[in-house]
């Protein structure tokens, strides 16, 4: 069975291979495509800290290379770098794709995301392995580490190209990607550990899936960041496409953010729109979003109660009552989480566990 260190070494060797493959093809389709999407020469030349590579369009280009490097076939399979055909031959998992690297909490390269030129599978991820799962990896943290440590605002975009686009807007923002619309608590904590600031911006696609994904990321991000904001993209754009069309417009979108909790409230209220013409529907809608109001910064709660009252057509004191109840529940949940955290830290430090009562 392949060890963790072997898998990490194989993945790192693969990253070097893909890196050189891209730069050995300055006139290839991959470089042309990246230029068309507005990726600067500094990034393409490898001078910016961003990692970009290319998987050659051959059946065994990587497999042959790693075998020459001394890696066993079982390591290539266990790391998700190769697949076996029905006849037992090993072939490259990624072929003819622009490559991006995913990193773990220690910023090790543990997996890849490949962008194809054509075909039904535009993006292909590494399979889950003992060193890589999508929920425990991020793209761009290592490349943006210096900027994050200098106080840049982390901006989460759905895709790999979104992170690259944001990173080219200047030192104010640092583009990062969870490679999808789902953000896990582990990903949120990874990003928080790398960030100097306690604020994060979500800039998912402007389509319905992106809006819903942004709203659903609130819980995970709120567990790591004190301030969670959202940048609202036009319905027909993602950060990458807006950057290519008008980077000044993307800069403006990132400059005009609002609390993600308020955005999530609007997304949830849209689901109740058909029942807001009677009191029971209005009250139930308020109860559905009250926990989201409780997550907002204290200074914004009163204004949100007023806004919510107008949107649903209820008097402010009714909305306030539901929010106060949600705030109380929220405080109780946070207190319980803190107690559990202290207990876990105590056990990890070697303290004796509390006595428990036993019945005969």
């Amino acid at each position: 069975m392949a060890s963790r260190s072997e898998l990490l070494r194989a993945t790192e060797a693969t990253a070097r291979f893909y890196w050189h493959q891209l730069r050995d093809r300055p006139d290839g389709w991959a470089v042309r495509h990246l230029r068309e999407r507005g990726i600067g020469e500094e990034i393409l030349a490898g001078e910016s800290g961003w990692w970009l590579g290319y998987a050659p369009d051959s059946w065994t280009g990587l497999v042959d290379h790693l075998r020459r490097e001394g890696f066993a076939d079982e390591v290539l399979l266990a790391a998700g770098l190769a697949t076996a055909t029905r006849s037992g031959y090993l072939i490259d998992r990624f072929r003819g794709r622009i490559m991006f690297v995913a990193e773990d909490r220690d910023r090790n390269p543990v997996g890849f995301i490949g962008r194809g030129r054509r075909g039904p599978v535009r993006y292909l991820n590494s399979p889950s392995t003992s060193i890589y799962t999508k929920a425990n990896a991020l793209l761009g943290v290592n490349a943006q580490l210096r900027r994050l440590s200098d106080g840049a605002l982390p901006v989460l975009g759905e895709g790999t190209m979104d992170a690259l686009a944001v990173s080219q807007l200047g030192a104010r923002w640092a583009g990062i990607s969870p490679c999808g619309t789902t953000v896990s608590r582990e990903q949120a904590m990874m990003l928080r550990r790398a960030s100097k600031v306690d604020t994060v911006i979500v800039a998912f696609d402007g389509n319905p899936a992106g809006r819903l994904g942004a709203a659903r990321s609130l819980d995970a991000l709120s567990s790591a960041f004190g301030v969670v904001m959202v940048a609202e993209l036009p319905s027909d754009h993602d950060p990458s496409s807006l950057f290519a069309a008008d980077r000044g417009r993307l800069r403006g979108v990132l400059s005009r953010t609002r609390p993600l909790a308020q955005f999530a409230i609007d997304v949830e209220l849209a689901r109740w729109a058909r029942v807001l013409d009677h009191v029971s529907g209005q009250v139930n809608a308020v109860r559905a979003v009250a926990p989201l109001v409780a997550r907002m910064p204290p200074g914004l709660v009163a204004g949100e109660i007023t806004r919510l009252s107008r949107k649903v057509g209820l008097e402010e004191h009714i909305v306030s009552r539901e929010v106060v109840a949600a705030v109380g529940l929220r405080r109780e949940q946070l207190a319980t989480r803190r107690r559990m955290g202290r207990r876990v830290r105590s056990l990890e430090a070697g303290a004796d566990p509390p006595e428990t009562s036993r019945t005969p």
Side-chain angles (χ1 to χ4, degrees):
M1 182 176 179
S3 67
R4 175 178 174 80
S5 62
E6 288 177 307
L7 299 183
L8 289 174
R9 286 194 301 107
T11 305
E12 186 174 349
T14 299
R16 289 195 300 269
F17 174 77
Y18 289 153
W19 171 277
H20 289 295
Q21 291 296 313
L22 180 68
R23 281 142 194 92
D24 288 345
R25 294 169 169 78
D27 298 320
W29 80 265
V31 172
R32 292 199 306 272
H33 174 80
L34 291 167
R35 286 197 177 108
E36 289 169 1
R37 297 295 294 268
I39 304 304
E41 294 301 322
E42 183 184 36
I43 293 177
L44 294 175
E47 299 170 354
S48 67
W50 272 100
W51 186 97
L52 282 175
Y54 178 70
D57 194 7
S58 62
W59 289 106
T60 60
L62 176 65
V63 168
D64 294 341
H65 173 78
L66 292 180
R67 282 172 171 167
R68 289 193 296 269
E69 292 279 308
F71 292 99
D73 287 0
E74 68 170 3
V75 174
L76 276 60
L77 290 169
L81 304 173
T83 58
T85 66
R86 292 181 180 179
S87 56
Y89 290 102
L90 255 60
I91 60 173
D92 297 351
R93 175 175 176 81
F94 299 99
R95 302 185 301 276
R97 293 178 179 272
I98 300 171
M99 301 301 292
F100 305 85
V101 66
E103 301 152 351
D104 65 8
R105 60 182 297 173
D106 298 317
R107 301 195 300 280
N108 296 312
V110 291
F112 297 94
I113 303 94
R115 200 266 189 204
R117 185 177 187 179
R118 61 176 68 90
V121 183
R122 180 63 60 86
Y123 283 94
L124 179 66
N125 285 16
S126 290
S128 294
T129 68
S130 62
I131 64 170
Y132 169 78
T133 56
K134 190 175 179 181
N136 293 330
L138 284 173
L139 182 143
V141 173
N142 201 41
Q144 302 284 268
L145 190 60
R146 178 174 296 181
R147 189 178 288 188
L148 288 168
S149 63
D150 287 341
L153 290 168
V155 178
L156 280 176
E158 287 182 38
T160 54
M161 298 297 292
D162 297 329
L164 279 170
V166 170
S167 74
Q168 294 184 93
L169 293 176
R172 182 178 176 185
W173 298 288
I176 309 293
S177 177
C179 299
T181 58
T182 301
V183 181
S184 69
R185 290 181 183 270
E186 174 63 20
Q187 289 173 319
M189 290 306 301
M190 286 171 58
L191 185 55
R192 183 64 186 91
R193 282 191 292 268
S195 303
K196 184 177 181 180
V197 299
D198 195 24
T199 299
V200 64
I201 298 172
V202 179
F204 286 177
D205 298 3
N207 58 30
R211 290 173 59 84
L212 182 59
R216 288 177 173 173
S217 72
L218 179 62
D219 278 347
L221 292 173
S222 295
S223 70
F225 289 88
V227 180
V228 185
M229 308 296 285
V230 63
E232 297 177 70
L233 277 293
S235 60
D236 56 344
H237 277 293
D238 56 38
S240 175
S241 66
L242 191 57
F243 175 82
D246 186 348
R247 64 182 61 189
R249 192 177 173 195
L250 176 59
R251 191 177 288 110
V253 167
L254 295 180
S255 299
R256 297 187 299 272
T257 60
R258 62 168 170 149
L260 179 57
Q262 186 183 77
F263 175 85
I265 288 168
D266 289 344
V267 171
E268 178 64 22
L269 283 180
R271 300 176 61 235
W272 294 84
R274 289 179 295 179
V275 297
L276 293 181
D277 58 346
H278 53 83
V279 174
S280 62
Q282 294 164 342
V283 172
N284 286 329
V286 169
R287 287 175 177 169
V289 301
L292 296 172
V293 180
R295 292 178 180 273
M296 296 184 69
L300 300 179
V301 171
E304 185 60 22
I305 288 174
T306 299
R307 189 184 80 96
L308 191 53
S309 171
R310 292 171 180 167
K311 285 184 74 72
V312 301
L314 282 177
E315 295 183 11
E316 282 192 32
H317 76 273
I318 299 176
V319 177
S320 180
R321 181 188 65 202
E322 298 298 334
V323 170
V324 167
V327 168
L329 179 60
R330 173 71 173 161
R331 288 174 177 170
E332 182 179 336
Q333 291 171 339
L334 291 174
T336 300
R337 186 180 300 173
R338 285 193 292 269
R339 288 195 299 271
M340 292 299 295
R342 286 195 296 269
R343 181 175 298 179
V344 169
R345 289 191 295 272
S346 175
L347 291 173
E348 289 176 345
D352 293 333
E355 292 185 3
T356 57
S357 60
R358 296 177 180 175
T359 57

